[in-house]
Amino acid sequence: MNPLQPGAAVVAFTERRDEKRRPEPVSMTASPIDRRRLPLNSLRAFEAAARQMSFTRAAESLGVTQSAVSRHVLNLEEVIGAQLFERRGSSLALTAAGQDLIGNVTPALDRLQAGLNAICEIDRGGTLRLALPPSFAIRMAAPIIETCRAQGGVAIEIDTPYVLESLDSTVHDAAVVFSRPRVTDQVMDLLWMEELTLLCRPDMAPRVREEGIAAALARETVIHIRNEAGRHTAWVELLRAAGVAATLPQGIVFDTAYMALDFAAREGGLVVADRRLAARDIAEGRLAAPLSVTAASGFGYFMLFRPDDLQREAVQIFRRRMLTEFAPSLERLPAGSERAQGAA
C-alpha cells in the first residue's frame, strides 16, 4: 500500500571495468544527423540501457556483451555531442539529454516494431512498461496483467518502485500510484479511494469484538504500515472514526501492506489496512474484520498516463481492463475526460 514517487531512476551498476575506460563526456557541437548517419544499433542499445538502467541487464536483453552496449552508447554520445548517462558512485542515471532522447526513441522503436508486425500480420500490441506499488502488484495485478497478455498479446514489463508521483522522468508507459487526489497535466484515473478497517485473524475476531479496540490494543501485537503520511496515520484515522481514545503501542512497522497483512494472518496481531487490498485474505478466511467501523484516509489508488500514450494499443488494452475491474463507471469515458478524477 505504499505510495510511490518519482526521481531520477538510479540503480546499482556493478560493471566497473568499462567505467574506467570510458572517456569524459563529449563537448563537441554535433552536426545535424541525416538518415545516412542514423545510428540505429546505438539507439537500440541506449534504449535498452535506459529502460533497464543497467548496461549489464541491457546486454542480456539484447543478447550481446556488456562492453558492446557500452561502446554503442559511447558512439551515440559522440554522434549527438551530449552525455546520456551519469555515474553516481556505483549507480547509473539518465542526464537531462538522456531523458529527452529516451522520450523520443522508445515510441519510435515501438512504432517501428508495430509497423513490422502489422506487415507480418502478427501485431502483438507492443510492450507495456508498468510501474506498480509493491502491494498492488502482488495482490491485485496478476490476473489483470494475464488478461491483457492473453487478449492483446501485450508484452509486459513491471517495476515496483516505492515512490512515484509522475511519469515525467521515467521510461514507464503507465503507472498505478497511491496518492491523494491532485491536479496534474497527466491523465489520472481513480481506481478506488482507500477505506481503512481493523483486521485480525478470524480466531481473534470474537474477543476483539467483545472487548473493543482499547482492550485489544493493550493485549495484542499492533502492526503499523508506513506510508506517505507516516506510520501511525491509519490507526489514528480509525480510532478517530470509532470514537476511541487510546495510546498506540509502537508495535511492529512494515513498509508494505502486503507484508503487514501476511504477518497478521500468519502470526496474529491487529492491523489497520485498506479493506479492498485485503479482500482476498478476508474471502479466503485468512483475515477478518471484527468491527464494522471504517475510516477514509484521503489516499487512493490512481492510474497515471501521459496523454499522448493513450493512443497506443498496448496502453488502451491495459487501461480498459483496469477500468473494467476497478472503476466500471469510467470505462465508457473518452480519453482524457477522467483528468478531473485526479483533481482535488
Side-chain angles (χ1 to χ4, degrees):
M1 187 170 65
N2 281 351
L4 319 188
Q5 97 184 348
V10 178
V11 180
F13 185 81
T14 58
E15 298 287 347
R16 290 182 171 272
R17 289 171 296 178
D18 285 332
E19 179 180 347
K20 295 178 181 179
R21 293 197 300 266
R22 190 180 181 87
E24 292 300 316
V26 181
S27 59
M28 59 175 282
T29 300
S31 302
I33 299 173
D34 59 30
R35 293 193 179 185
R36 293 174 300 171
R37 300 178 59 233
L38 202 60
L40 295 178
N41 286 336
S42 294
L43 288 168
R44 189 170 57 146
F46 163 72
E47 195 271 344
R51 173 161 37 89
Q52 303 280 354
M53 291 316 302
S54 164
F55 282 13
T56 300
R57 289 195 295 272
E60 292 172 355
S61 70
L62 295 175
V64 299
T65 64
Q66 189 269 349
S67 60
V69 172
S70 182
R71 287 195 302 272
H72 277 305
V73 171
L74 177 59
N75 174 68
L76 184 58
E77 290 178 333
E78 291 174 344
V79 169
I80 66 176
Q83 184 180 0
L84 299 174
F85 291 99
E86 289 180 349
R87 286 174 180 75
R88 301 171 181 172
S90 60
S91 302
L92 188 70
L94 285 169
T95 63
Q99 292 176 13
D100 288 341
L101 185 59
I102 195 62
N104 289 287
V105 171
T106 296
L109 291 178
D110 284 342
R111 286 194 297 270
L112 181 60
Q113 177 180 319
L116 292 172
N117 284 336
I119 294 173
C120 298
E121 297 181 349
I122 57 168
D123 182 9
R124 301 181 182 276
T127 298
L128 187 63
R129 301 174 185 87
L130 302 175
L132 305 176
S135 295
F136 182 94
I138 293 170
R139 291 182 162 260
M140 314 293 287
I144 297 167
I145 291 168
E146 186 57 36
T147 299
C148 291
R149 293 180 67 247
Q151 292 183 352
V154 178
I156 294 178
E157 298 178 5
I158 298 175
D159 293 324
T160 55
Y162 275 81
V163 181
L164 189 139
E165 289 183 350
S166 169
L167 295 172
D168 288 340
S169 301
T170 76
V171 297
H172 301 107
D173 304 304
V176 173
V177 297
F178 181 71
S179 170
R180 294 187 185 277
R182 54 191 169 86
V183 176
T184 174
D185 58 357
Q186 296 173 353
V187 177
M188 229 175 153
D189 293 327
L190 172 63
L191 297 177
W192 76 87
M193 293 300 292
E194 186 176 51
E195 181 186 12
L196 299 172
T197 191
L198 179 65
L199 297 164
C200 63
R201 278 195 329 218
D203 61 303
M204 298 169 55
R207 188 172 180 181
V208 173
R209 191 178 300 115
E210 178 182 349
E211 295 183 351
I213 297 179
L217 285 174
R219 185 184 64 254
E220 305 292 349
T221 300
V222 175
I223 301 168
H224 301 277
I225 303 171
R226 183 186 295 113
N227 63 26
E228 189 173 295
R231 72 178 186 182
H232 291 138
T233 53
W235 272 103
V236 169
E237 294 295 341
L238 188 78
L239 292 177
R240 181 184 295 117
V244 174
T247 301
L248 277 172
Q250 183 173 355
I252 303 174
V253 182
F254 291 95
D255 64 354
T256 67
Y258 167 72
M259 291 191 294
L261 293 170
D262 186 63
F263 183 89
R266 288 187 297 104
E267 306 297 333
L270 304 174
V271 62
V272 173
D274 178 41
R275 190 180 186 92
R276 191 162 190 174
L277 205 62
R280 182 182 299 178
D281 289 311
I282 296 173
E284 295 175 355
R286 298 179 70 239
L287 290 172
L291 305 176
S292 60
V293 62
T294 62
S297 69
F299 285 82
Y301 287 86
F302 297 83
M303 282 192 299
L304 198 60
F305 306 95
R306 299 180 187 89
D308 292 346
D309 285 342
L310 291 178
Q311 307 306 314
R312 294 183 53 205
E313 181 183 1
V315 172
Q316 292 174 6
I317 292 171
F318 174 73
R319 185 172 183 243
R320 282 197 301 268
R321 183 64 184 88
M322 291 286 284
L323 290 178
T324 300
E325 178 72 19
F326 297 114
S329 62
L330 294 181
E331 185 183 1
R332 298 179 179 274
L333 294 179
S337 61
E338 303 83 353
R339 293 192 195 189
Q341 291 294 129

